[in-house]
Amino acid sequence: LAEKYGVGIVTLGGFTSIVAERIGQEIAKEVDVAVTSGNTFTAAMAIEGASKAAELLNLDLARLKATIVGGTGDIGSGCARVLADKVKQLTITGRTKVNLRRLSKELSKKHKAKIIATTNNESAVRDADIVIAAASATQAILNIDWFKPGSIICDVGYPKNISYTPTTRQDILIFSGGLAKSPTPICFPIDIGLPASDTLYGCFSEAIILALEKRYENFSFGRGNITLEKINEIRELGKKHGFGLADFYWGDKLVDELMIDTVKATRKEQYSVD
């Protein structure tokens, strides 16, 4: 259909990014249209969101422990390559030990953070100051009770892993990550799970940004190809066209100053010794 109507680029984002990761380059042999997973801009927004959340809580990234659940995936590994130079300790989780060892070795050689690799999601998040949940799973793989008081959870996976889980907890900051604020409101004819009309999935945004640049190319393809250079490139192109980090939403609720202050108070009480 995209080829028929002269579309320059298609994004296979969200859960369908799995298809773009595995056979994105092969699609070009069948149709004359560029395909991107949109994962690079999504990763850029996830990193920016986690950094902004730490700033709001008056935290220094260089002193924090971060965990990336689904760290060997495309978005997760992209986030890992950036955060490994920003945090004190980085834990990556994944289902396959071979992939974990490969990425762990890469990160340990090139970056300054202490790198830990594990298949145990619970142990990985219990002591983390920042958690980026980047795994694509059809059901929740994280328990909201696992997170320590005062922690930041950026839920960037599709479907969402944790941000729509009912809870009474107010001592943690959870937000839907990988979202971008668009320069103009966009009204979709169906509900696609976005919390506001000026908020877009990062994967959608990437395709729009590339189209505005007339760069009809497979920008995000395969798995493990997201680099710091590409993240910086697409972020700058996004800024050029008015795309930036979305407001923080915990499920459908906008994260306000009172919520931030509550988590700040929790950290002050829990970790005043530090």
Side-chain angles (χ1 to χ4, degrees):
L1 285 172
E3 185 181 50
K4 177 181 177 181
Y5 290 105
V7 171
I9 188 167
V10 169
T11 181
L12 290 177
F15 206 54
T16 63
S17 66
I18 297 170
V19 178
E21 290 168 20
R22 293 181 181 175
I23 61 170
Q25 296 288 72
E26 298 300 312
I27 294 173
K29 298 177 182 178
E30 304 296 328
V31 292
D32 187 21
V33 60
V35 175
T36 184
S37 68
N39 283 350
T40 307
F41 194 69
T42 300
M45 292 299 98
I47 295 162
E48 196 167 323
S51 300
K52 177 68 180 296
E55 181 183 322
L56 290 173
L57 296 180
N58 299 325
L59 301 178
D60 179 5
L61 280 177
R63 299 183 63 192
L64 302 182
K65 296 177 181 179
T67 290
I68 302 178
V69 177
T72 57
D74 198 37
I75 293 173
S77 61
C79 291
R81 292 184 182 98
V82 176
L83 287 180
D85 270 333
K86 294 181 178 292
V87 298
K88 178 175 70 174
Q89 177 179 298
L90 179 65
T91 301
I92 53 173
T93 81
R95 291 175 296 180
T96 309
K97 291 183 179 180
V98 172
N99 292 339
L100 278 170
R101 283 195 296 269
R102 184 183 300 119
L103 181 59
S104 177
K105 187 176 181 181
E106 174 195 330
L107 296 175
S108 297
K109 280 184 176 181
K110 298 180 179 180
H111 304 285
K112 61 184 180 182
K114 178 183 178 182
I115 307 298
I116 298 173
T118 179
T119 58
N120 188 322
N121 290 329
E122 181 178 356
S123 66
V125 304
R126 279 203 177 274
D127 193 40
D129 299 293
I130 296 176
V131 175
I132 295 182
S136 291
T138 54
Q139 59 186 8
I141 60 174
L142 298 173
N143 187 317
I144 203 163
D145 295 327
W146 292 348
F147 305 112
K148 74 176 185 180
S151 58
I152 297 165
I153 300 94
C154 171
D155 191 2
V156 70
Y158 296 104
K160 292 299 178 191
N161 283 294
I162 199 74
S163 58
Y164 283 85
T165 302
T167 183
T168 58
R169 292 193 69 173
Q170 298 179 4
D171 60 341
I172 54 178
L173 173 58
I174 296 179
F175 63 94
S176 296
L179 299 180
K181 185 182 284 287
S182 66
T184 56
I186 299 178
C187 297
F188 292 95
I190 58 173
D191 181 3
I192 59 173
L194 290 167
S197 60
D198 66 347
T199 303
L200 273 179
Y201 294 120
C203 52
F204 286 14
S205 302
E206 179 171 303
I208 296 171
I209 293 164
L210 291 170
L212 289 169
E213 283 289 300
K214 293 183 170 55
R215 287 182 56 171
Y216 306 124
E217 61 188 73
N218 301 353
F219 191 84
S220 299
F221 64 90
R223 177 175 290 189
N225 296 318
I226 297 178
T227 62
L228 174 60
E229 291 73 23
K230 294 197 75 171
I231 285 174
N232 288 337
E233 180 184 10
I234 196 68
R235 183 194 287 120
E236 289 306 310
L237 290 176
K239 286 180 182 178
K240 174 183 174 182
H241 294 288
F243 288 84
L245 180 65
D247 295 329
F248 288 164
Y249 285 89
W250 185 336
D252 295 322
K253 186 177 181 180
L254 182 66
V255 175
D256 57 23
E257 286 188 25
L258 178 60
M259 296 169 72
I260 297 292
D261 288 342
T262 301
V263 181
K264 284 169 72 174
T266 297
R267 285 200 66 94
K268 186 175 181 180
E269 180 181 340
Q270 292 279 333
Y271 314 113
S272 56
V273 176
D274 294 339

